[in-house]
Amino acid sequence: MSTIAFEDLTPGRIIPLGEVAVDRVEMLAFAERFDPQPFHLDEEAGKRSVLGGLAASGWFTASLWMRQYVDHVLADSTSQGSPGGRELSWLAPVFADDVLTCELEVISSRVSRSRPGLGLVEIVGRATRDGEVVYRLTFTGIFTTRG
């Protein structure tokens, strides 16, 4: 039986997802494959950009947060996926060797009207660097109930 179910995800609950270090090699490999913009691949291009240096792709940052979410919540939960979200914000550039602290906050939850064995949980995910929010997303997770 999974440890985390719908009933555990109550509004106001904050779940720490741990820290993750931004690895330069992984950051560059991701950019080369999925987001090959110059400021994600070249130090000088990054310095000339509004980002101020070689910066991680926002999608890489999102992937780092997602891995923490899977490791600390989803892998031992009744998760049934997500129908999507309403916010995705990259609030500050992320650089190699940054250490991001990840967390999630449950902002609302309700049992599905059409499928009572499922609960819908609205979540705000955040990644911070030295207390500054660099990434934020708001989405809905679907979890089965224990009942």
Side-chain angles (χ1 to χ4, degrees):
M1 180 171 225
S2 298
T3 301
I4 299 171
F6 168 75
E7 292 84 351
D8 302 309
L9 300 168
T10 56
R13 181 167 182 196
I14 295 174
I15 300 175
L17 303 177
E19 292 184 344
V20 61
V22 179
D23 181 271
R24 182 184 179 88
V25 172
E26 288 179 354
M27 181 180 96
L28 288 170
F30 184 96
E32 287 173 5
R33 172 109 195 260
F34 299 107
D35 194 357
Q37 297 180 74
F39 43 80
H40 294 321
L41 295 171
D42 178 73
E43 190 74 47
E44 290 307 312
K47 287 178 184 174
R48 291 190 305 270
S49 77
V50 298
L51 302 174
L54 180 66
S57 165
W59 298 111
F60 180 70
T61 303
S63 296
L64 293 175
W65 185 90
M66 186 67 197
R67 180 57 194 244
Q68 295 299 106
Y69 179 43
V70 169
D71 288 350
H72 290 85
V73 175
L74 296 183
D76 190 24
S77 78
T78 63
S79 174
Q80 300 296 300
S82 171
R86 60 179 171 84
E87 178 200 21
L88 175 65
S89 299
W90 295 291
L91 302 164
V94 170
F95 304 103
D97 300 321
D98 281 353
V99 175
L100 304 180
T101 302
C102 301
E103 69 176 17
L104 69 80
E105 179 178 1
V106 177
I107 56 175
S108 70
S109 63
R110 68 175 177 83
V111 173
S112 170
R113 288 182 286 280
S114 61
R115 297 181 70 185
L118 295 179
L120 303 169
V121 180
E122 191 172 21
I123 295 169
V124 174
R126 284 183 284 273
T128 60
R129 175 189 54 229
D130 299 323
E132 174 190 19
V133 179
V134 297
Y135 171 71
R136 184 177 59 230
L137 73 156
T138 303
F139 66 100
T140 300
I142 302 171
F143 295 83
T144 60
T145 62
R146 286 198 174 95

